[in-house]
Amino acid sequence: MQRVTMMDVAKLAQVSPSTVSLYLRKPAAVSPAAGQEIARAISTLGYVPNLVAGGLAAASSKVVSIIVPSIRNAFFAETVSTLQSELAAEGLQVILGHSEYGEDQEEALVRTALAWAPAAVVLTGLSHSPETRKLLRASGVPVVEMWEIGGEPIDMAVGFSHPQVGASAARHLLSKGRRRVAFLGARMQEDHRAAKRASGFAEEIGRTAGTASCAIINHPGAATVEAGSLLLNRAMQQVPNLDGIACSNDLVALGALFECQRQGIAVPDKIAVVGFGDLNFSASCIPSLTTIRPSGDLIGKEVARLILTGIDGGRPAGASRVIDTGHVLIERRST
Amino acid sequence: MQRVTMMDVAKLAQVSPSTVSLYLRKPAAVSPAAGQEIARAISTLGYVPNLVAGGLAAASSKVVSIIVPSIRNAFFAETVSTLQSELAAEGLQVILGHSEYGEDQEEALVRTALAWAPAAVVLTGLSHSPETRKLLRASGVPVVEMWEIGGEPIDMAVGFSHPQVGASAARHLLSKGRRRVAFLGARMQEDHRAAKRASGFAEEIGRTAGTASCAIINHPGAATVEAGSLLLNRAMQQVPNLDGIACSNDLVALGALFECQRQGIAVPDKIAVVGFGDLNFSASCIPSLTTIRPSGDLIGKEVARLILTGIDGGRPAGASRVIDTGHVLIERRST
DNA sequence: CTGAAAGCGCTAACAG
DNA sequence: CTGTTAGCGCTTTCAG
């Protein structure tokens, strides 16, 4: 499909192909006269460089492979979106893969990702199969794990501590005088990060208010609004006089809010609700939702920065290999 | 970074590299004995084929480039997710780009996409710059435009008619006796598809109920819950005794629903609300939202099918070059 | 069914 | 600053 090659451009501009190649990569390193000729030739011919050939010759393609559990999840959509924009600005392409929270799937994706000799690979979280870690380490490709810190990264990591998020939610509920609380999570058998938020929550409750009741309730399916309704009902059964809940996701929290409204349970008077994610609707729902913002786009930006500095500079020094983007609790009406 | 090459595998298996290559592509075309040797060599060496080299040699890489306005939009996230899964199953990688609803950005993305000699490129909608169309046509690469039909596609198209969606919403509102209606849209100066839903809505209202009042109201920013609140208020100003609204997106509809609740406006008694998208929360909110489902994953499936059949068979014949995935109105409590 | 040969289009030393 | 020279690792005729 590739009609015009660098050879054609070189011929028309009366220079050698390598000069054209040089011009394309470092325009300043070519004489202005030659540069102009080349530029003209490129535009009259409508030349588009073949990145596949370039990648092969340079032994590293201008591609970064991103693997997330699911792009349908607004959290990751945000990060991927930011990452894509930042990388595109530097001429890097994004190859996308979905692990669906499966380590085996992730491993397969990593394997094909590596087949592209990518400039970097970006993974979600710190939990991976041993084989995945081995493949990645052996490849020598820069890898960034995102959305989680607090373990041993394969190479670099950008994210925040999930147990700390859980603890923040717990402290907030406690500070509002709640003592009969529950954590509502979805898919925690696979979503290790949500599970960590849950255990951080439970630990903090236990540590600070040993006498408080605390339940962790899991919905095996995806984190949806509907799951929120279900979970709230189960929580009320399990914790009599429930007065506070933390949710693993704002969608779940919204579902709980709707269920409260349906059953005439006053929020926050009877039950206080804390979410996670600060999604599109969280500020506008009724009551507005107290939530924890993980800043998915900050993560995206930092990952991009790590990749970019790793590419043109030497790899960044040890100090900056793990970046904590933190989290912010945003207090609204639901507590 | 690529350690083991096909050469190494060939040596260990005591065959020639071309036999290994053949085995990788058509295992059946190689003798069972040789096949076993090769398979063993591959696994003991941990060989991963270099797709960059393969792409160069084969003059077409196993990549399909997908360009959507924004992956943060749940509609496109769904399609991309499905598409990625379907294509990955056939060994194709997805390269992702965001146009942010800009034709120039899209053109730039198409240009780099083409540099990868992709197996196909997937675009959103039928509106593109003339240069984009030219580039794509000249490249000879299969292109699929998705999420819209009703115009002249560059090559293939999968989607539905947006004016018809607007008309469906209008008919539904009319059938509920509403005569003072409005269409609430966001970013319609750039989002041509939303604008078409709006005009389809207005036309149908005019055609069927000439005496009805109908306003089209646009929020220049993104389609968010907050925009929904704003838009509802403007609609009520503009159309006294407003009794029905159609929204360009369920998020906008949710915002309108919240605003009604805040102001004590009964839905659907006073104002009926129709959304678009059938998002996660639409069945669960209060009242549950009547909406139009465009089936983003059906679109993804059909696009994948078109690409896949185009690759191993000859290109599909003229008849099936445009696929209408239709839309479904789902009636719930909000009307 | 298998192997030899000839590149795919570009980059990257290295001389000039 | 520019051109020459070798490949990058794989696919693909084409013989055998």
Side-chain angles (χ1 to χ4, degrees), chain A residues 202-235:
Chain A
E203 252 167 51
E204 182 68 17
I205 296 283
R207 213 172 54 74
T208 323
T211 61
S213 299
C214 175
I216 294 183
I217 309 188
N218 181 45
H219 174 76
T224 59
V225 175
E226 220 185 321
S229 302
L230 266 41
L231 283 165
L232 179 73
N233 284 317
R234 285 179 46 206

PDB file of all heavy atoms in Angstrom, chain A residues 202-235:
ATOM      1  N   ALA A 202     -11.374  -1.490  56.576  1.00  0.00           N
ATOM      2  CA  ALA A 202     -11.682  -2.317  57.748  1.00  0.00           C
ATOM      3  C   ALA A 202     -10.605  -2.167  58.812  1.00  0.00           C
ATOM      4  O   ALA A 202     -10.903  -2.057  60.004  1.00  0.00           O
ATOM      5  CB  ALA A 202     -11.819  -3.775  57.330  1.00  0.00           C
ATOM      6  N   GLU A 203      -9.364  -2.132  58.379  1.00  0.00           N
ATOM      7  CA  GLU A 203      -8.274  -2.005  59.342  1.00  0.00           C
ATOM      8  C   GLU A 203      -8.356  -0.705  60.107  1.00  0.00           C
ATOM      9  O   GLU A 203      -8.171  -0.667  61.323  1.00  0.00           O
ATOM     10  CB  GLU A 203      -6.931  -2.053  58.611  1.00  0.00           C
ATOM     11  CG  GLU A 203      -6.197  -3.348  58.846  1.00  0.00           C
ATOM     12  CD  GLU A 203      -5.040  -3.491  57.872  1.00  0.00           C
ATOM     13  OE1 GLU A 203      -4.219  -2.546  57.761  1.00  0.00           O
ATOM     14  OE2 GLU A 203      -4.970  -4.533  57.201  1.00  0.00           O
ATOM     15  N   GLU A 204      -8.606   0.356  59.366  1.00  0.00           N
ATOM     16  CA  GLU A 204      -8.651   1.659  60.016  1.00  0.00           C
ATOM     17  C   GLU A 204      -9.812   1.727  61.011  1.00  0.00           C
ATOM     18  O   GLU A 204      -9.665   2.269  62.102  1.00  0.00           O
ATOM     19  CB  GLU A 204      -8.787   2.763  58.961  1.00  0.00           C
ATOM     20  CG  GLU A 204      -8.787   4.168  59.519  1.00  0.00           C
ATOM     21  CD  GLU A 204      -7.432   4.589  60.105  1.00  0.00           C
ATOM     22  OE1 GLU A 204      -6.415   3.924  59.786  1.00  0.00           O
ATOM     23  OE2 GLU A 204      -7.408   5.559  60.879  1.00  0.00           O
ATOM     24  N   ILE A 205     -10.922   1.163  60.635  1.00  0.00           N
ATOM     25  CA  ILE A 205     -12.071   1.136  61.544  1.00  0.00           C
ATOM     26  C   ILE A 205     -11.691   0.370  62.811  1.00  0.00           C
ATOM     27  O   ILE A 205     -11.891   0.836  63.923  1.00  0.00           O
ATOM     28  CB  ILE A 205     -13.294   0.458  60.888  1.00  0.00           C
ATOM     29  CG1 ILE A 205     -13.794   1.257  59.688  1.00  0.00           C
ATOM     30  CG2 ILE A 205     -14.411   0.232  61.912  1.00  0.00           C
ATOM     31  CD1 ILE A 205     -14.589   2.482  60.009  1.00  0.00           C
ATOM     32  N   GLY A 206     -11.084  -0.777  62.616  1.00  0.00           N
ATOM     33  CA  GLY A 206     -10.711  -1.603  63.754  1.00  0.00           C
ATOM     34  C   GLY A 206      -9.692  -0.906  64.653  1.00  0.00           C
ATOM     35  O   GLY A 206      -9.778  -0.937  65.877  1.00  0.00           O
ATOM     36  N   ARG A 207      -8.734  -0.263  64.030  1.00  0.00           N
ATOM     37  CA  ARG A 207      -7.650   0.386  64.758  1.00  0.00           C
ATOM     38  C   ARG A 207      -8.164   1.566  65.589  1.00  0.00           C
ATOM     39  O   ARG A 207      -7.813   1.722  66.751  1.00  0.00           O
ATOM     40  CB  ARG A 207      -6.633   0.908  63.724  1.00  0.00           C
ATOM     41  CG  ARG A 207      -5.192   0.888  64.162  1.00  0.00           C
ATOM     42  CD  ARG A 207      -4.280   1.248  62.981  1.00  0.00           C
ATOM     43  NE  ARG A 207      -4.657   2.508  62.357  1.00  0.00           N
ATOM     44  CZ  ARG A 207      -4.424   3.703  62.898  1.00  0.00           C
ATOM     45  NH1 ARG A 207      -3.858   3.797  64.069  1.00  0.00           N
ATOM     46  NH2 ARG A 207      -4.779   4.796  62.251  1.00  0.00           N
ATOM     47  N   THR A 208      -9.005   2.373  64.942  1.00  0.00           N
ATOM     48  CA  THR A 208      -9.419   3.629  65.571  1.00  0.00           C
ATOM     49  C   THR A 208     -10.634   3.483  66.465  1.00  0.00           C
ATOM     50  O   THR A 208     -10.830   4.222  67.409  1.00  0.00           O
ATOM     51  CB  THR A 208      -9.750   4.676  64.487  1.00  0.00           C
ATOM     52  OG1 THR A 208      -8.850   4.529  63.424  1.00  0.00           O
ATOM     53  CG2 THR A 208      -9.693   6.065  65.054  1.00  0.00           C
ATOM     54  N   ALA A 209     -11.495   2.537  66.099  1.00  0.00           N
ATOM     55  CA  ALA A 209     -12.742   2.399  66.848  1.00  0.00           C
ATOM     56  C   ALA A 209     -13.064   0.927  66.978  1.00  0.00           C
ATOM     57  O   ALA A 209     -13.919   0.402  66.266  1.00  0.00           O
ATOM     58  CB  ALA A 209     -13.866   3.141  66.128  1.00  0.00           C
ATOM     59  N   GLY A 210     -12.341   0.304  67.856  1.00  0.00           N
ATOM     60  CA  GLY A 210     -12.441  -1.145  67.997  1.00  0.00           C
ATOM     61  C   GLY A 210     -13.850  -1.658  68.234  1.00  0.00           C
ATOM     62  O   GLY A 210     -14.191  -2.769  67.822  1.00  0.00           O
ATOM     63  N   THR A 211     -14.661  -0.840  68.831  1.00  0.00           N
ATOM     64  CA  THR A 211     -16.010  -1.293  69.153  1.00  0.00           C
ATOM     65  C   THR A 211     -16.986  -1.145  68.000  1.00  0.00           C
ATOM     66  O   THR A 211     -18.123  -1.599  68.088  1.00  0.00           O
ATOM     67  CB  THR A 211     -16.569  -0.475  70.327  1.00  0.00           C
ATOM     68  OG1 THR A 211     -16.622   0.902  69.927  1.00  0.00           O
ATOM     69  CG2 THR A 211     -15.682  -0.604  71.558  1.00  0.00           C
ATOM     70  N   ALA A 212     -16.563  -0.475  66.928  1.00  0.00           N
ATOM     71  CA  ALA A 212     -17.485  -0.250  65.803  1.00  0.00           C
ATOM     72  C   ALA A 212     -17.766  -1.557  65.064  1.00  0.00           C
ATOM     73  O   ALA A 212     -16.945  -2.460  65.022  1.00  0.00           O
ATOM     74  CB  ALA A 212     -16.887   0.777  64.849  1.00  0.00           C
ATOM     75  N   SER A 213     -18.961  -1.617  64.456  1.00  0.00           N
ATOM     76  CA  SER A 213     -19.273  -2.752  63.586  1.00  0.00           C
ATOM     77  C   SER A 213     -18.814  -2.422  62.183  1.00  0.00           C
ATOM     78  O   SER A 213     -19.052  -1.316  61.698  1.00  0.00           O
ATOM     79  CB  SER A 213     -20.774  -2.992  63.500  1.00  0.00           C
ATOM     80  OG  SER A 213     -21.288  -3.279  64.747  1.00  0.00           O
ATOM     81  N   CYS A 214     -18.215  -3.381  61.524  1.00  0.00           N
ATOM     82  CA  CYS A 214     -17.751  -3.127  60.162  1.00  0.00           C
ATOM     83  C   CYS A 214     -17.890  -4.385  59.324  1.00  0.00           C
ATOM     84  O   CYS A 214     -17.442  -5.452  59.718  1.00  0.00           O
ATOM     85  CB  CYS A 214     -16.298  -2.679  60.189  1.00  0.00           C
ATOM     86  SG  CYS A 214     -15.578  -2.470  58.564  1.00  0.00           S
ATOM     87  N   ALA A 215     -18.555  -4.256  58.180  1.00  0.00           N
ATOM     88  CA  ALA A 215     -18.697  -5.401  57.285  1.00  0.00           C
ATOM     89  C   ALA A 215     -18.096  -5.061  55.929  1.00  0.00           C
ATOM     90  O   ALA A 215     -18.107  -3.908  55.509  1.00  0.00           O
ATOM     91  CB  ALA A 215     -20.166  -5.748  57.119  1.00  0.00           C
ATOM     92  N   ILE A 216     -17.555  -6.075  55.281  1.00  0.00           N
ATOM     93  CA  ILE A 216     -17.099  -5.896  53.902  1.00  0.00           C
ATOM     94  C   ILE A 216     -17.983  -6.763  53.025  1.00  0.00           C
ATOM     95  O   ILE A 216     -18.116  -7.964  53.271  1.00  0.00           O
ATOM     96  CB  ILE A 216     -15.633  -6.326  53.728  1.00  0.00           C
ATOM     97  CG1 ILE A 216     -14.729  -5.388  54.514  1.00  0.00           C
ATOM     98  CG2 ILE A 216     -15.253  -6.314  52.254  1.00  0.00           C
ATOM     99  CD1 ILE A 216     -13.258  -5.689  54.348  1.00  0.00           C
ATOM    100  N   ILE A 217     -18.620  -6.143  52.058  1.00  0.00           N
ATOM    101  CA  ILE A 217     -19.565  -6.896  51.250  1.00  0.00           C
ATOM    102  C   ILE A 217     -19.160  -6.816  49.789  1.00  0.00           C
ATOM    103  O   ILE A 217     -18.857  -5.737  49.270  1.00  0.00           O
ATOM    104  CB  ILE A 217     -20.982  -6.327  51.447  1.00  0.00           C
ATOM    105  CG1 ILE A 217     -21.250  -6.252  52.951  1.00  0.00           C
ATOM    106  CG2 ILE A 217     -22.016  -7.197  50.752  1.00  0.00           C
ATOM    107  CD1 ILE A 217     -22.636  -5.911  53.320  1.00  0.00           C
ATOM    108  N   ASN A 218     -19.146  -7.942  49.151  1.00  0.00           N
ATOM    109  CA  ASN A 218     -18.680  -7.988  47.754  1.00  0.00           C
ATOM    110  C   ASN A 218     -19.780  -8.431  46.807  1.00  0.00           C
ATOM    111  O   ASN A 218     -20.549  -9.339  47.104  1.00  0.00           O
ATOM    112  CB  ASN A 218     -17.506  -8.967  47.646  1.00  0.00           C
ATOM    113  CG  ASN A 218     -16.958  -9.049  46.227  1.00  0.00           C
ATOM    114  OD1 ASN A 218     -16.771  -8.019  45.571  1.00  0.00           O
ATOM    115  ND2 ASN A 218     -16.716 -10.253  45.752  1.00  0.00           N
ATOM    116  N   HIS A 219     -19.830  -7.760  45.661  1.00  0.00           N
ATOM    117  CA  HIS A 219     -20.716  -8.206  44.585  1.00  0.00           C
ATOM    118  C   HIS A 219     -19.802  -8.794  43.525  1.00  0.00           C
ATOM    119  O   HIS A 219     -18.897  -8.107  43.049  1.00  0.00           O
ATOM    120  CB  HIS A 219     -21.491  -7.001  44.041  1.00  0.00           C
ATOM    121  CG  HIS A 219     -22.314  -7.314  42.838  1.00  0.00           C
ATOM    122  ND1 HIS A 219     -23.508  -8.003  42.919  1.00  0.00           N
ATOM    123  CD2 HIS A 219     -22.124  -7.042  41.527  1.00  0.00           C
ATOM    124  CE1 HIS A 219     -24.008  -8.135  41.691  1.00  0.00           C
ATOM    125  NE2 HIS A 219     -23.191  -7.560  40.842  1.00  0.00           N
ATOM    126  N   PRO A 220     -20.020 -10.053  43.156  1.00  0.00           N
ATOM    127  CA  PRO A 220     -19.058 -10.681  42.247  1.00  0.00           C
ATOM    128  C   PRO A 220     -19.049 -10.071  40.844  1.00  0.00           C
ATOM    129  O   PRO A 220     -18.059 -10.166  40.138  1.00  0.00           O
ATOM    130  CB  PRO A 220     -19.511 -12.146  42.210  1.00  0.00           C
ATOM    131  CG  PRO A 220     -20.912 -12.155  42.722  1.00  0.00           C
ATOM    132  CD  PRO A 220     -21.052 -10.979  43.628  1.00  0.00           C
ATOM    133  N   GLY A 221     -20.144  -9.439  40.463  1.00  0.00           N
ATOM    134  CA  GLY A 221     -20.207  -8.844  39.129  1.00  0.00           C
ATOM    135  C   GLY A 221     -19.530  -7.491  39.062  1.00  0.00           C
ATOM    136  O   GLY A 221     -18.869  -7.069  40.005  1.00  0.00           O
ATOM    137  N   ALA A 222     -19.707  -6.819  37.958  1.00  0.00           N
ATOM    138  CA  ALA A 222     -19.051  -5.538  37.727  1.00  0.00           C
ATOM    139  C   ALA A 222     -19.607  -4.445  38.630  1.00  0.00           C
ATOM    140  O   ALA A 222     -20.690  -4.572  39.195  1.00  0.00           O
ATOM    141  CB  ALA A 222     -19.219  -5.135  36.274  1.00  0.00           C
ATOM    142  N   ALA A 223     -18.845  -3.382  38.756  1.00  0.00           N
ATOM    143  CA  ALA A 223     -19.244  -2.246  39.583  1.00  0.00           C
ATOM    144  C   ALA A 223     -20.263  -1.409  38.823  1.00  0.00           C
ATOM    145  O   ALA A 223     -19.910  -0.552  38.019  1.00  0.00           O
ATOM    146  CB  ALA A 223     -18.022  -1.412  39.915  1.00  0.00           C
ATOM    147  N   THR A 224     -21.538  -1.676  39.062  1.00  0.00           N
ATOM    148  CA  THR A 224     -22.579  -0.929  38.368  1.00  0.00           C
ATOM    149  C   THR A 224     -23.506  -0.275  39.384  1.00  0.00           C
ATOM    150  O   THR A 224     -23.440  -0.554  40.574  1.00  0.00           O
ATOM    151  CB  THR A 224     -23.438  -1.869  37.504  1.00  0.00           C
ATOM    152  OG1 THR A 224     -24.022  -2.854  38.367  1.00  0.00           O
ATOM    153  CG2 THR A 224     -22.605  -2.571  36.451  1.00  0.00           C
ATOM    154  N   VAL A 225     -24.380   0.566  38.882  1.00  0.00           N
ATOM    155  CA  VAL A 225     -25.361   1.220  39.729  1.00  0.00           C
ATOM    156  C   VAL A 225     -26.258   0.160  40.370  1.00  0.00           C
ATOM    157  O   VAL A 225     -26.584   0.223  41.547  1.00  0.00           O
ATOM    158  CB  VAL A 225     -26.202   2.200  38.891  1.00  0.00           C
ATOM    159  CG1 VAL A 225     -27.316   2.789  39.735  1.00  0.00           C
ATOM    160  CG2 VAL A 225     -25.314   3.310  38.350  1.00  0.00           C
ATOM    161  N   GLU A 226     -26.616  -0.824  39.572  1.00  0.00           N
ATOM    162  CA  GLU A 226     -27.485  -1.869  40.091  1.00  0.00           C
ATOM    163  C   GLU A 226     -26.821  -2.632  41.233  1.00  0.00           C
ATOM    164  O   GLU A 226     -27.470  -2.950  42.240  1.00  0.00           O
ATOM    165  CB  GLU A 226     -27.808  -2.837  38.957  1.00  0.00           C
ATOM    166  CG  GLU A 226     -29.235  -3.296  38.991  1.00  0.00           C
ATOM    167  CD  GLU A 226     -29.455  -4.350  37.924  1.00  0.00           C
ATOM    168  OE1 GLU A 226     -28.885  -4.209  36.817  1.00  0.00           O
ATOM    169  OE2 GLU A 226     -30.185  -5.310  38.208  1.00  0.00           O
ATOM    170  N   ALA A 227     -25.545  -2.910  41.068  1.00  0.00           N
ATOM    171  CA  ALA A 227     -24.824  -3.592  42.141  1.00  0.00           C
ATOM    172  C   ALA A 227     -24.925  -2.791  43.430  1.00  0.00           C
ATOM    173  O   ALA A 227     -25.031  -3.356  44.522  1.00  0.00           O
ATOM    174  CB  ALA A 227     -23.364  -3.782  41.749  1.00  0.00           C
ATOM    175  N   GLY A 228     -24.903  -1.470  43.301  1.00  0.00           N
ATOM    176  CA  GLY A 228     -25.003  -0.613  44.472  1.00  0.00           C
ATOM    177  C   GLY A 228     -26.284  -0.850  45.254  1.00  0.00           C
ATOM    178  O   GLY A 228     -26.264  -0.935  46.489  1.00  0.00           O
ATOM    179  N   SER A 229     -27.403  -0.985  44.552  1.00  0.00           N
ATOM    180  CA  SER A 229     -28.679  -1.231  45.234  1.00  0.00           C
ATOM    181  C   SER A 229     -28.615  -2.555  45.993  1.00  0.00           C
ATOM    182  O   SER A 229     -28.946  -2.638  47.174  1.00  0.00           O
ATOM    183  CB  SER A 229     -29.817  -1.339  44.212  1.00  0.00           C
ATOM    184  OG  SER A 229     -29.911  -0.179  43.451  1.00  0.00           O
ATOM    185  N   LEU A 230     -28.188  -3.572  45.276  1.00  0.00           N
ATOM    186  CA  LEU A 230     -28.085  -4.903  45.877  1.00  0.00           C
ATOM    187  C   LEU A 230     -27.220  -4.874  47.125  1.00  0.00           C
ATOM    188  O   LEU A 230     -27.594  -5.401  48.186  1.00  0.00           O
ATOM    189  CB  LEU A 230     -27.432  -5.854  44.864  1.00  0.00           C
ATOM    190  CG  LEU A 230     -28.327  -6.696  43.969  1.00  0.00           C
ATOM    191  CD1 LEU A 230     -29.532  -5.918  43.461  1.00  0.00           C
ATOM    192  CD2 LEU A 230     -27.539  -7.280  42.791  1.00  0.00           C
ATOM    193  N   LEU A 231     -26.068  -4.267  46.975  1.00  0.00           N
ATOM    194  CA  LEU A 231     -25.103  -4.261  48.074  1.00  0.00           C
ATOM    195  C   LEU A 231     -25.629  -3.520  49.291  1.00  0.00           C
ATOM    196  O   LEU A 231     -25.419  -3.946  50.422  1.00  0.00           O
ATOM    197  CB  LEU A 231     -23.786  -3.632  47.591  1.00  0.00           C
ATOM    198  CG  LEU A 231     -22.926  -4.550  46.729  1.00  0.00           C
ATOM    199  CD1 LEU A 231     -21.855  -3.762  45.990  1.00  0.00           C
ATOM    200  CD2 LEU A 231     -22.272  -5.631  47.590  1.00  0.00           C
ATOM    201  N   LEU A 232     -26.330  -2.422  49.034  1.00  0.00           N
ATOM    202  CA  LEU A 232     -26.852  -1.668  50.173  1.00  0.00           C
ATOM    203  C   LEU A 232     -27.812  -2.540  50.978  1.00  0.00           C
ATOM    204  O   LEU A 232     -27.755  -2.584  52.206  1.00  0.00           O
ATOM    205  CB  LEU A 232     -27.568  -0.403  49.717  1.00  0.00           C
ATOM    206  CG  LEU A 232     -28.148   0.384  50.903  1.00  0.00           C
ATOM    207  CD1 LEU A 232     -27.038   1.067  51.692  1.00  0.00           C
ATOM    208  CD2 LEU A 232     -29.196   1.389  50.478  1.00  0.00           C
ATOM    209  N   ASN A 233     -28.672  -3.252  50.262  1.00  0.00           N
ATOM    210  CA  ASN A 233     -29.624  -4.100  50.963  1.00  0.00           C
ATOM    211  C   ASN A 233     -28.933  -5.190  51.765  1.00  0.00           C
ATOM    212  O   ASN A 233     -29.296  -5.458  52.914  1.00  0.00           O
ATOM    213  CB  ASN A 233     -30.624  -4.706  49.973  1.00  0.00           C
ATOM    214  CG  ASN A 233     -31.645  -3.681  49.531  1.00  0.00           C
ATOM    215  OD1 ASN A 233     -32.155  -2.913  50.347  1.00  0.00           O
ATOM    216  ND2 ASN A 233     -31.931  -3.641  48.233  1.00  0.00           N
ATOM    217  N   ARG A 234     -27.928  -5.770  51.184  1.00  0.00           N
ATOM    218  CA  ARG A 234     -27.205  -6.805  51.925  1.00  0.00           C
ATOM    219  C   ARG A 234     -26.498  -6.211  53.131  1.00  0.00           C
ATOM    220  O   ARG A 234     -26.429  -6.819  54.204  1.00  0.00           O
ATOM    221  CB  ARG A 234     -26.217  -7.514  51.008  1.00  0.00           C
ATOM    222  CG  ARG A 234     -26.943  -8.475  50.050  1.00  0.00           C
ATOM    223  CD  ARG A 234     -25.995  -9.171  49.102  1.00  0.00           C
ATOM    224  NE  ARG A 234     -24.812  -9.687  49.755  1.00  0.00           N
ATOM    225  CZ  ARG A 234     -23.648  -9.874  49.149  1.00  0.00           C
ATOM    226  NH1 ARG A 234     -23.530  -9.591  47.856  1.00  0.00           N
ATOM    227  NH2 ARG A 234     -22.620 -10.364  49.794  1.00  0.00           N
ATOM    228  N   ALA A 235     -25.989  -5.002  52.974  1.00  0.00           N
ATOM    229  CA  ALA A 235     -25.282  -4.367  54.082  1.00  0.00           C
ATOM    230  C   ALA A 235     -26.234  -4.094  55.237  1.00  0.00           C
ATOM    231  O   ALA A 235     -25.893  -4.303  56.413  1.00  0.00           O
ATOM    232  CB  ALA A 235     -24.641  -3.066  53.615  1.00  0.00           C
TER     233      ALA A 235
END
